[in-house]
Amino acid sequence: MERTCIVCHTPLKGRTDQQFCSDPCRSAHHNQQRKEQNHYLREVNRILKRNRNILQRACPQGKRKVKKALLLQQGFQYGYFTGEYHTQQGHIYYYCYDYGYRVVNEEELIIVQLQPNVQQHLDNIVREDPPQYGLDD
């Protein structure tokens, strides 16, 4: 049985473990694999960016109360956020990068821009040492 390139099916000559006839075929194969593996990540990032842009348009600066329906009409997808902030009053703000929102009731929410004190809190969470799962001390 003749060995062929796994991309273009050109007959192979040379090493017995050779899979590609050329560098472009090798690159094309690996690029396709990365594309398939990163599809989920690209989709989530696209949703996060869209959510952030919707929040920004609804509240260009500061703080504003809006109807949930307004965001839903624009394609906002709840459940996708980059961080959350718990206030001392027990409220939870969900952030999409530098814009956040807090659910007030079934119909309304408050949109806020990221404030320096919240940014510092979120940065501290990111800087914490990750747990060392499976490592014995």
Side-chain angles (χ1 to χ4, degrees):
M1 183 173 171
E2 187 176 34
R3 296 176 305 117
T4 60
C5 175
I6 62 175
V7 175
C8 70
H9 308 291
T10 299
L12 296 175
K13 298 176 185 170
R15 294 175 36 170
T16 58
D17 63 344
Q18 185 178 2
Q19 295 180 355
F20 310 102
C21 65
S22 63
D23 285 339
C25 280
R26 180 181 49 78
S27 292
H29 174 75
H30 291 297
N31 287 342
Q32 181 63 33
Q33 281 188 320
R34 277 192 295 280
K35 180 180 177 183
E36 292 167 3
Q37 292 169 351
N38 292 332
H39 175 73
Y40 177 74
L41 294 176
R42 283 193 315 276
E43 179 64 17
V44 169
N45 285 331
R46 186 185 62 74
I47 293 169
L48 288 169
K49 287 177 187 177
R50 184 179 58 222
N51 279 355
R52 186 247 181 229
N53 290 338
I54 292 169
L55 292 172
Q56 181 188 29
R57 284 192 305 269
C59 179
Q61 54 183 231
K63 184 176 186 177
R64 182 175 174 209
K65 188 182 280 192
V66 299
K67 301 283 185 187
K68 282 184 179 182
L70 174 72
L71 300 184
L72 290 173
Q73 288 169 354
Q74 297 178 40
F76 192 87
Q77 293 186 25
Y78 293 95
Y80 288 90
F81 51 89
T82 57
E84 61 182 61
Y85 177 69
H86 297 255
T87 68
Q88 292 178 349
Q89 295 80 21
H91 301 299
I92 302 174
Y93 284 86
Y94 299 97
Y95 280 86
C96 293
Y97 303 109
D98 56 338
Y99 282 86
Y101 64 93
R102 174 175 70 89
V103 176
V104 176
N105 56 45
E106 289 185 26
E107 296 179 6
E108 295 179 313
L109 49 87
I110 294 174
I111 300 174
V112 296
Q113 271 189 298
L114 186 62
Q115 300 298 310
N117 64 321
V118 176
Q119 177 67 53
Q120 184 178 10
H121 171 77
L122 294 174
D123 287 346
N124 287 337
I125 291 173
V126 171
R127 288 191 195 117
E128 290 177 2
D129 291 331
Q132 301 294 312
Y133 298 113
L135 300 178
D136 296 327
D137 293 338

XYZ file of all heavy atoms in Angstrom, residues 16-105:
773
model
N 9.712 6.452 6.747
C 8.505 5.627 6.858
C 7.458 6.248 7.777
O 6.280 5.915 7.681
C 8.852 4.221 7.381
O 9.507 4.343 8.643
C 9.745 3.483 6.387
N 7.866 7.159 8.663
C 6.906 7.796 9.573
C 6.432 9.165 9.055
O 5.724 9.882 9.742
C 7.489 7.931 10.975
C 8.718 8.828 11.023
O 9.309 9.108 9.951
O 9.104 9.239 12.129
N 6.805 9.493 7.833
C 6.429 10.775 7.225
C 4.919 10.819 7.001
O 4.310 9.856 6.549
C 7.170 10.932 5.901
C 6.982 12.250 5.222
C 7.793 12.329 3.930
O 8.467 11.377 3.539
N 7.706 13.464 3.267
N 4.289 11.966 7.335
C 2.842 12.118 7.174
C 2.475 13.184 6.139
O 1.363 13.176 5.628
C 2.197 12.501 8.509
C 2.311 11.444 9.572
C 1.648 11.885 10.856
O 1.175 13.009 10.986
N 1.608 10.993 11.834
N 3.396 14.092 5.881
C 3.104 15.233 5.005
C 4.124 15.301 3.887
O 5.296 14.994 4.077
C 3.126 16.545 5.802
C 2.299 16.499 7.053
C 2.886 16.342 8.293
C 0.915 16.602 6.986
C 2.125 16.285 9.444
C 0.140 16.542 8.126
C 0.748 16.381 9.355
N 3.667 15.794 2.738
C 4.576 15.910 1.596
C 5.365 17.213 1.629
O 6.388 17.338 0.959
C 3.800 15.796 0.294
S 2.637 17.166 0.015
N 4.882 18.224 2.399
C 5.544 19.523 2.389
C 5.202 20.303 3.665
O 4.262 19.953 4.396
C 5.096 20.336 1.174
O 3.707 20.601 1.263
N 5.944 21.375 3.880
C 5.657 22.248 5.024
C 4.267 22.887 4.920
O 3.564 22.967 5.929
C 6.729 23.334 5.161
C 8.029 22.787 5.739
O 7.992 21.712 6.381
O 9.070 23.431 5.551
N 3.835 23.358 3.746
C 2.476 23.917 3.670
C 1.391 22.909 4.056
O 0.413 23.269 4.721
C 2.347 24.343 2.208
C 3.751 24.634 1.785
C 4.587 23.614 2.517
N 1.546 21.652 3.671
C 0.555 20.635 4.058
C 0.592 20.397 5.567
O -0.449 20.246 6.204
C 0.795 19.325 3.307
S 0.135 19.330 1.626
N 1.795 20.338 6.139
C 1.927 20.159 7.589
C 1.265 21.326 8.318
O 0.485 21.130 9.255
C 3.408 20.061 7.986
C 3.621 19.885 9.487
C 5.113 19.808 9.831
N 5.897 20.875 9.231
C 5.957 22.134 9.679
N 5.268 22.492 10.731
N 6.710 23.030 9.065
N 1.535 22.544 7.874
C 0.938 23.732 8.498
C -0.582 23.733 8.355
O -1.302 24.033 9.306
C 1.506 25.005 7.878
O 2.855 25.152 8.214
N -1.064 23.383 7.180
C -2.511 23.359 6.948
C -3.188 22.362 7.878
O -4.255 22.643 8.456
C -2.811 23.005 5.494
N -2.578 21.203 8.071
C -3.137 20.181 8.956
C -3.217 20.690 10.398
O -4.253 20.580 11.051
C -2.291 18.912 8.878
C -2.693 17.864 9.856
N -3.822 17.092 9.691
C -2.121 17.471 11.016
C -3.924 16.263 10.724
N -2.898 16.472 11.527
N -2.114 21.256 10.893
C -2.078 21.723 12.284
C -2.984 22.945 12.484
O -3.614 23.091 13.539
C -0.642 21.989 12.717
C 0.160 20.727 12.828
N -0.136 19.725 13.715
C 1.228 20.299 12.125
C 0.727 18.729 13.575
N 1.569 19.057 12.609
N -3.060 23.818 11.494
C -3.968 24.969 11.595
C -5.418 24.510 11.689
O -6.206 25.061 12.457
C -3.787 25.909 10.403
C -2.501 26.692 10.472
O -1.881 26.804 11.538
N -2.069 27.209 9.346
N -5.777 23.499 10.919
C -7.144 22.970 10.960
C -7.441 22.355 12.329
O -8.521 22.552 12.885
C -7.358 21.930 9.857
C -8.758 21.346 9.828
C -9.826 22.386 9.536
O -9.594 23.341 8.805
N -10.996 22.202 10.115
N -6.469 21.639 12.898
C -6.664 21.051 14.222
C -6.870 22.141 15.279
O -7.760 22.041 16.109
C -5.466 20.184 14.608
C -5.478 18.834 13.955
C -4.384 17.956 14.512
O -3.256 18.404 14.761
N -4.694 16.691 14.706
N -6.050 23.192 15.251
C -6.189 24.290 16.212
C -7.517 25.009 16.030
O -8.158 25.409 16.996
C -5.026 25.269 16.079
C -3.795 24.831 16.844
C -2.766 25.948 16.932
N -2.218 26.321 15.636
C -1.259 25.664 14.998
N -0.748 24.588 15.520
N -0.816 26.090 13.842
N -7.937 25.158 14.790
C -9.210 25.824 14.515
C -10.356 25.063 15.171
O -11.228 25.657 15.801
C -9.424 25.909 13.004
C -10.709 26.585 12.597
C -10.840 26.620 11.090
C -12.154 27.229 10.672
N -12.330 27.213 9.214
N -10.366 23.766 15.038
C -11.417 22.946 15.632
C -11.339 22.973 17.154
O -12.364 23.072 17.834
C -11.320 21.517 15.116
C -11.653 21.384 13.643
C -11.273 20.037 13.054
O -10.792 19.154 13.801
O -11.462 19.870 11.833
N -10.142 22.916 17.713
C -9.973 22.908 19.164
C -10.342 24.249 19.791
O -10.845 24.308 20.901
C -8.529 22.554 19.533
C -8.163 21.128 19.205
C -6.673 20.868 19.326
O -5.880 21.791 19.503
N -6.285 19.608 19.217
N -10.097 25.348 19.096
C -10.336 26.674 19.648
C -11.711 27.239 19.299
O -12.023 28.363 19.685
C -9.249 27.642 19.176
C -7.905 27.306 19.780
O -7.826 26.753 20.870
N -6.848 27.608 19.071
N -12.541 26.486 18.609
C -13.861 26.979 18.215
C -14.678 27.405 19.441
O -15.272 28.483 19.444
C -14.618 25.921 17.412
C -16.015 26.333 17.079
N -16.293 27.283 16.132
C -17.203 25.955 17.606
C -17.602 27.461 16.077
N -18.180 26.674 16.954
N -14.698 26.584 20.472
C -15.465 26.910 21.683
C -14.953 28.192 22.325
O -15.735 29.070 22.695
C -15.416 25.747 22.673
C -16.123 26.061 23.964
C -17.514 26.098 24.024
C -15.408 26.343 25.135
C -18.173 26.401 25.203
C -16.060 26.642 26.304
C -17.440 26.666 26.337
O -18.089 26.978 27.515
N -13.639 28.331 22.439
C -13.061 29.532 23.049
C -13.410 30.782 22.254
O -13.767 31.815 22.826
C -11.540 29.405 23.144
C -11.021 28.323 24.085
C -9.505 28.246 23.998
C -11.472 28.573 25.494
N -13.319 30.703 20.942
C -13.663 31.851 20.109
C -15.129 32.231 20.270
O -15.481 33.406 20.314
C -13.333 31.568 18.638
C -11.850 31.689 18.323
C -11.575 31.727 16.832
N -12.302 30.738 16.056
C -11.928 29.470 15.874
N -10.815 29.041 16.421
N -12.647 28.657 15.136
N -15.993 31.238 20.367
C -17.431 31.500 20.520
C -17.717 32.182 21.859
O -18.470 33.155 21.923
C -18.225 30.198 20.400
C -19.709 30.364 20.570
C -20.363 31.222 19.490
O -19.768 31.444 18.429
O -21.498 31.678 19.718
N -17.114 31.708 22.938
C -17.319 32.323 24.251
C -16.776 33.743 24.258
O -17.436 34.665 24.757
C -16.673 31.468 25.372
C -16.656 32.225 26.694
C -17.418 30.154 25.530
N -15.604 33.970 23.689
C -15.043 35.327 23.631
C -15.926 36.259 22.814
O -16.098 37.425 23.158
C -13.623 35.311 23.074
C -12.624 34.802 24.078
O -12.808 34.942 25.281
N -11.566 34.192 23.596
N -16.509 35.743 21.735
C -17.415 36.546 20.915
C -18.639 36.965 21.739
O -19.053 38.123 21.702
C -17.850 35.751 19.679
C -18.679 36.548 18.681
C -19.175 35.687 17.535
N -20.054 34.608 17.956
C -21.325 34.774 18.341
N -21.854 35.961 18.361
N -22.048 33.736 18.703
N -19.198 36.054 22.508
C -20.360 36.357 23.352
C -19.989 37.377 24.416
O -20.731 38.338 24.660
C -20.919 35.071 23.996
C -21.517 34.166 22.912
C -21.957 35.400 25.066
C -21.850 32.761 23.397
N -18.828 37.207 25.060
C -18.393 38.151 26.095
C -18.213 39.551 25.529
O -18.635 40.540 26.133
C -17.088 37.679 26.734
C -17.190 36.473 27.659
C -15.812 35.950 28.010
C -17.975 36.816 28.910
N -17.594 39.656 24.365
C -17.389 40.968 23.751
C -18.725 41.608 23.380
O -18.915 42.810 23.575
C -16.505 40.843 22.504
C -15.060 40.567 22.829
C -14.272 40.378 21.547
C -12.860 39.933 21.827
N -12.108 39.682 20.583
N -19.641 40.813 22.841
C -20.950 41.351 22.489
C -21.691 41.817 23.753
O -22.266 42.897 23.778
C -21.796 40.325 21.729
C -23.133 40.923 21.272
C -23.991 39.958 20.492
N -24.266 38.784 21.291
C -24.234 37.531 20.830
N -23.953 37.283 19.585
N -24.498 36.520 21.628
N -21.652 41.009 24.818
C -22.284 41.410 26.072
C -21.695 42.723 26.585
O -22.424 43.623 27.000
C -22.124 40.326 27.138
C -23.123 39.202 26.994
O -24.014 39.234 26.153
N -22.970 38.191 27.821
N -20.380 42.847 26.533
C -19.727 44.069 26.996
C -20.160 45.267 26.173
O -20.452 46.333 26.698
C -18.210 43.905 26.923
C -17.443 45.071 27.520
C -16.712 45.797 26.422
N -15.958 46.896 26.991
C -16.007 48.118 26.493
N -16.740 48.397 25.456
N -15.302 49.076 27.042
N -20.224 45.111 24.871
C -20.634 46.218 24.002
C -22.088 46.620 24.241
O -22.421 47.808 24.209
C -20.403 45.858 22.538
C -18.931 45.791 22.191
O -18.091 46.374 22.872
N -18.607 45.056 21.152
N -22.935 45.667 24.503
C -24.338 45.966 24.814
C -24.429 46.744 26.116
O -25.156 47.735 26.218
C -25.168 44.664 24.877
C -25.279 44.047 23.475
C -26.550 44.922 25.466
C -25.839 42.637 23.461
N -23.674 46.325 27.126
C -23.665 47.048 28.408
C -23.136 48.469 28.218
O -23.674 49.419 28.790
C -22.820 46.296 29.442
C -23.380 44.954 29.930
C -22.348 44.242 30.796
C -24.685 45.139 30.677
N -22.091 48.616 27.430
C -21.518 49.941 27.197
C -22.522 50.866 26.506
O -22.658 52.026 26.877
C -20.254 49.836 26.355
C -19.608 51.195 26.098
C -18.475 51.115 25.106
O -18.462 50.257 24.222
N -17.511 52.009 25.258
N -23.215 50.354 25.495
C -24.204 51.182 24.802
C -25.349 51.582 25.729
O -25.870 52.687 25.656
C -24.758 50.448 23.580
C -23.818 50.429 22.403
C -24.492 49.968 21.124
N -25.147 48.678 21.232
C -24.571 47.499 20.968
N -23.314 47.467 20.576
N -25.242 46.379 21.076
N -25.740 50.679 26.619
C -26.848 50.961 27.536
C -26.432 51.919 28.648
O -27.271 52.623 29.207
C -27.374 49.667 28.142
N -25.149 51.965 28.955
C -24.649 52.820 30.031
C -23.256 53.313 29.657
O -22.255 52.758 30.100
C -24.595 52.025 31.336
S -23.972 52.944 32.739
N -23.174 54.362 28.827
C -21.869 54.809 28.336
C -20.901 55.240 29.439
O -19.704 55.156 29.273
C -22.192 55.973 27.414
C -23.651 56.155 27.428
C -24.267 55.138 28.307
N -21.416 55.693 30.562
C -20.537 56.053 31.676
C -21.307 56.058 32.984
O -22.490 56.346 33.019
C -19.862 57.393 31.455
C -20.808 58.523 31.168
C -20.067 59.809 30.897
O -20.371 60.799 31.498
N -19.097 59.776 30.004
N -20.611 55.674 34.033
C -21.211 55.724 35.363
C -22.083 54.544 35.699
O -21.648 53.413 35.684
N -23.346 54.857 35.997
C -24.272 53.854 36.516
C -25.663 54.151 35.971
O -26.055 55.313 35.863
C -24.259 53.961 38.047
C -25.066 52.957 38.790
C -24.845 53.184 40.288
C -25.496 52.128 41.117
N -25.227 52.305 42.545
N -26.418 53.101 35.639
C -27.748 53.313 35.084
C -28.628 52.092 35.316
O -28.178 50.952 35.179
C -27.631 53.574 33.583
C -28.954 53.846 32.918
C -28.745 54.223 31.472
N -30.034 54.339 30.816
C -30.240 54.124 29.538
N -29.229 53.812 28.753
N -31.434 54.239 29.019
N -29.894 52.335 35.638
C -30.870 51.262 35.782
C -31.567 51.086 34.439
O -31.990 52.055 33.817
C -31.898 51.597 36.866
C -32.830 50.438 37.187
C -33.865 50.821 38.230
C -33.264 50.761 39.604
N -34.302 50.856 40.660
N -31.680 49.832 33.971
C -32.330 49.538 32.686
C -33.225 48.314 32.832
O -33.103 47.531 33.772
C -31.310 49.287 31.549
C -30.430 50.501 31.310
C -30.475 48.063 31.830
N -34.097 48.140 31.862
C -34.962 46.961 31.795
C -34.166 45.793 31.208
O -33.404 45.966 30.248
C -36.183 47.224 30.917
C -37.047 48.376 31.380
C -37.883 47.959 32.548
C -38.836 49.094 32.935
N -39.546 48.812 34.157
N -34.344 44.617 31.775
C -33.677 43.422 31.248
C -34.032 43.198 29.784
O -33.197 42.784 28.990
C -34.103 42.184 32.042
C -33.440 42.008 33.363
C -33.910 40.688 33.949
C -33.284 40.396 35.274
N -33.720 39.098 35.811
N -35.288 43.479 29.443
C -35.758 43.252 28.072
C -34.939 44.035 27.058
O -34.715 43.563 25.940
C -37.235 43.619 27.961
N -34.469 45.225 27.436
C -33.652 46.035 26.530
C -32.387 45.286 26.130
O -32.003 45.261 24.960
C -33.297 47.373 27.186
C -32.320 48.255 26.419
C -32.999 48.840 25.188
C -31.781 49.353 27.305
N -31.741 44.668 27.101
C -30.513 43.929 26.813
C -30.807 42.662 26.004
O -30.085 42.329 25.065
C -29.782 43.564 28.099
C -29.348 44.731 28.991
C -28.562 44.223 30.182
C -28.554 45.748 28.226
N -31.880 41.973 26.370
C -32.234 40.748 25.650
C -32.556 41.026 24.188
O -32.186 40.247 23.310
C -33.415 40.057 26.331
C -33.113 39.428 27.699
C -34.391 38.935 28.348
C -32.105 38.308 27.563
N -33.231 42.145 23.920
C -33.561 42.510 22.546
C -32.302 42.711 21.696
O -32.315 42.505 20.490
C -34.403 43.788 22.512
C -35.809 43.612 22.996
C -36.523 44.952 23.194
O -35.916 46.019 23.073
N -37.811 44.886 23.496
N -31.219 43.110 22.342
C -29.965 43.355 21.627
C -29.078 42.118 21.546
O -27.977 42.178 21.012
C -29.212 44.503 22.294
C -29.961 45.807 22.231
C -29.207 46.913 22.948
O -27.987 47.012 22.857
N -29.939 47.753 23.657
N -29.534 40.999 22.115
C -28.772 39.759 22.033
C -27.909 39.453 23.233
O -27.026 38.594 23.171
N -28.133 40.141 24.357
C -27.354 39.890 25.567
C -27.605 38.465 26.044
O -28.733 37.992 26.049
C -27.750 40.891 26.660
C -26.810 40.897 27.827
C -25.681 41.682 27.815
C -27.063 40.122 28.950
C -24.810 41.706 28.894
C -26.204 40.138 30.032
C -25.075 40.924 30.003
N -26.536 37.776 26.449
C -26.655 36.409 26.954
C -26.185 36.362 28.399
O -24.990 36.456 28.682
C -25.848 35.440 26.095
C -26.405 35.286 24.699
C -25.679 34.215 23.919
O -25.106 33.293 24.469
N -25.711 34.343 22.604
N -27.152 36.240 29.306
C -26.829 36.131 30.727
C -26.082 34.829 30.961
O -26.251 33.856 30.257
C -28.102 36.173 31.569
C -28.790 37.507 31.521
C -29.821 37.747 30.620
C -28.386 38.541 32.344
C -30.439 38.981 30.546
C -29.000 39.779 32.291
C -30.027 39.990 31.390
O -30.618 41.208 31.328
N -25.229 34.825 31.957
C -24.460 33.629 32.272
C -23.054 33.655 31.705
O -22.238 32.814 32.039
N -22.757 34.620 30.861
C -21.412 34.785 30.316
C -20.826 36.059 30.900
O -21.304 37.147 30.619
C -21.435 34.889 28.785
C -21.755 33.589 28.106
C -23.068 33.245 27.826
C -20.741 32.713 27.744
C -23.367 32.046 27.206
C -21.027 31.510 27.110
C -22.350 31.191 26.853
O -22.643 30.005 26.235
N -19.821 35.920 31.744
C -19.187 37.083 32.357
C -17.746 36.738 32.700
O -17.383 35.564 32.768
C -19.956 37.547 33.602
C -20.257 36.462 34.594
C -19.371 36.150 35.601
C -21.448 35.752 34.511
C -19.652 35.142 36.514
C -21.746 34.748 35.420
C -20.834 34.438 36.424
N -16.927 37.787 32.883
C -15.503 37.572 33.135
C -15.144 37.606 34.609
O -14.055 37.202 34.981
C -14.663 38.632 32.396
O -15.080 39.930 32.812
C -14.820 38.487 30.892
N -16.031 38.105 35.439
C -15.774 38.147 36.876
C -17.018 38.555 37.628
O -17.982 39.047 37.042
N -16.991 38.317 38.931
C -18.112 38.756 39.752
C -17.578 39.420 41.012
O -16.498 39.092 41.486
C -19.069 37.616 40.076
C -18.478 36.465 40.845
C -19.501 35.358 41.066
O -19.994 34.804 40.081
O -19.783 35.068 42.239
N -18.352 40.367 41.486
C -17.963 41.146 42.663
C -19.111 41.107 43.660
O -20.244 41.431 43.324
C -17.654 42.584 42.253
C -17.323 43.486 43.409
C -16.134 43.333 44.125
C -18.193 44.502 43.790
C -15.832 44.167 45.183
C -17.882 45.344 44.850
C -16.703 45.173 45.545
O -16.398 45.994 46.590
N -18.810 40.692 44.890
C -19.803 40.630 45.962
C -19.630 41.855 46.865
O -18.551 42.062 47.413
C -19.623 39.354 46.786
C -19.841 38.104 45.986
N -20.962 37.345 46.104
C -19.077 37.492 45.041
C -20.899 36.317 45.275
N -19.750 36.391 44.620
N -20.684 42.644 46.999
C -20.621 43.831 47.839
C -20.846 43.459 49.300
O -21.312 42.352 49.614
C -21.683 44.867 47.423
O -22.977 44.340 47.728
C -21.575 45.212 45.942
N -20.539 44.399 50.182
C -20.772 44.176 51.607
C -22.262 44.067 51.920
O -22.650 43.479 52.919
C -20.140 45.300 52.432
C -18.630 45.278 52.369
C -18.011 46.426 53.145
O -18.686 47.352 53.564
N -16.698 46.355 53.336
N -23.108 44.632 51.057
C -24.557 44.556 51.248
C -25.135 43.239 50.724
O -26.342 43.015 50.818
C -25.262 45.725 50.533
C -24.935 47.083 51.086
C -23.587 47.610 50.573
O -23.086 47.171 49.549
N -22.998 48.540 51.319
N -24.303 42.376 50.156
C -24.754 41.083 49.671
C -25.178 41.054 48.211
O -25.704 40.056 47.740
N -24.957 42.145 47.490
C -25.293 42.182 46.068
C -24.159 41.556 45.267
O -22.997 41.600 45.662
C -25.509 43.612 45.578
C -26.602 44.336 46.295
N -27.906 43.912 46.297
C -26.574 45.458 47.054
C -28.649 44.736 47.001
N -27.854 45.690 47.489
N -24.507 41.005 44.114
C -23.504 40.431 43.223
C -23.544 41.182 41.889
O -24.601 41.307 41.279
C -23.765 38.934 42.958
C -23.782 38.158 44.269
C -22.703 38.369 42.010
C -24.184 36.699 44.103
N -22.395 41.705 41.487
C -22.238 42.352 40.183
C -21.485 41.384 39.280
O -20.441 40.850 39.668
C -21.450 43.659 40.301
C -22.251 44.795 40.877
C -22.350 44.975 42.247
C -22.908 45.687 40.046
C -23.091 46.028 42.777
C -23.650 46.734 40.560
C -23.737 46.892 41.929
O -24.469 47.934 42.437
N -22.010 41.162 38.099
C -21.379 40.308 37.107
C -20.731 41.215 36.065
O -21.399 42.060 35.480
C -22.413 39.395 36.452
C -23.084 38.495 37.454
C -24.311 38.835 38.007
C -22.478 37.315 37.867
C -24.930 38.022 38.938
C -23.092 36.497 38.806
C -24.316 36.852 39.333
O -24.913 36.046 40.255
N -19.431 41.020 35.837
C -18.687 41.890 34.930
C -18.379 41.195 33.613
O -18.026 40.017 33.587
C -17.375 42.353 35.575
C -17.595 43.494 36.523
C -17.945 43.263 37.841
C -17.502 44.801 36.088
C -18.185 44.316 38.706
C -17.734 45.859 36.943
C -18.083 45.606 38.250
O -18.323 46.652 39.091
N -18.513 41.961 32.546
C -18.030 41.593 31.217
C -16.919 42.598 30.934
O -17.190 43.720 30.503
C -19.131 41.686 30.167
S -20.434 40.485 30.402
N -15.722 42.212 31.287
C -14.560 43.082 31.194
C -14.757 44.310 32.083
O -14.758 44.163 33.295
C -14.242 43.444 29.735
C -14.018 42.221 28.886
C -14.950 41.845 27.918
C -12.896 41.430 29.053
C -14.754 40.706 27.142
C -12.697 40.292 28.285
C -13.628 39.942 27.335
O -13.433 38.815 26.575
N -14.955 45.496 31.534
C -15.014 46.706 32.354
C -16.427 47.227 32.596
O -16.602 48.312 33.129
C -14.148 47.813 31.747
C -14.540 48.136 30.311
O -15.149 47.283 29.651
O -14.216 49.240 29.841
N -17.455 46.474 32.227
C -18.841 46.844 32.514
C -19.494 45.703 33.273
O -19.283 44.528 32.951
C -19.629 47.137 31.232
C -19.319 48.496 30.669
C -18.244 48.687 29.820
C -20.081 49.600 31.026
C -17.939 49.937 29.322
C -19.784 50.859 30.532
C -18.716 51.023 29.682
O -18.413 52.271 29.204
N -20.282 46.071 34.278
C -20.942 45.060 35.081
C -22.420 45.337 35.230
O -22.903 46.418 34.903
N -23.122 44.350 35.749
C -24.545 44.526 35.990
C -24.934 43.764 37.252
O -24.284 42.800 37.655
C -25.388 44.046 34.796
C -25.273 42.567 34.504
C -26.181 41.655 35.053
C -24.277 42.072 33.675
C -26.088 40.302 34.786
C -24.174 40.731 33.411
C -25.082 39.839 33.971
O -24.980 38.501 33.701
N -25.983 44.260 37.886
C -26.560 43.617 39.063
C -28.049 43.500 38.836
O -28.710 44.454 38.433
C -26.299 44.443 40.319
C -26.999 43.887 41.558
C -26.636 44.644 42.814
N -27.175 45.983 42.883
C -28.376 46.293 43.405
N -29.174 45.346 43.840
N -28.765 47.546 43.456
N -28.577 42.329 39.077
C -30.004 42.104 38.933
C -30.708 42.750 40.118
O -30.399 42.467 41.271
C -30.324 40.596 38.867
C -31.819 40.362 38.811
C -29.625 39.956 37.679
N -31.653 43.663 39.815
C -32.424 44.347 40.858
C -33.683 43.541 41.170
O -34.005 43.290 42.329
C -32.807 45.777 40.411
C -33.684 46.456 41.443
C -31.551 46.587 40.135
N -34.395 43.149 40.124
C -35.595 42.326 40.260
C -35.794 41.581 38.941
O -34.908 41.583 38.093
C -36.818 43.171 40.643
C -37.080 44.309 39.662
O -37.035 44.122 38.452
N -37.331 45.496 40.187
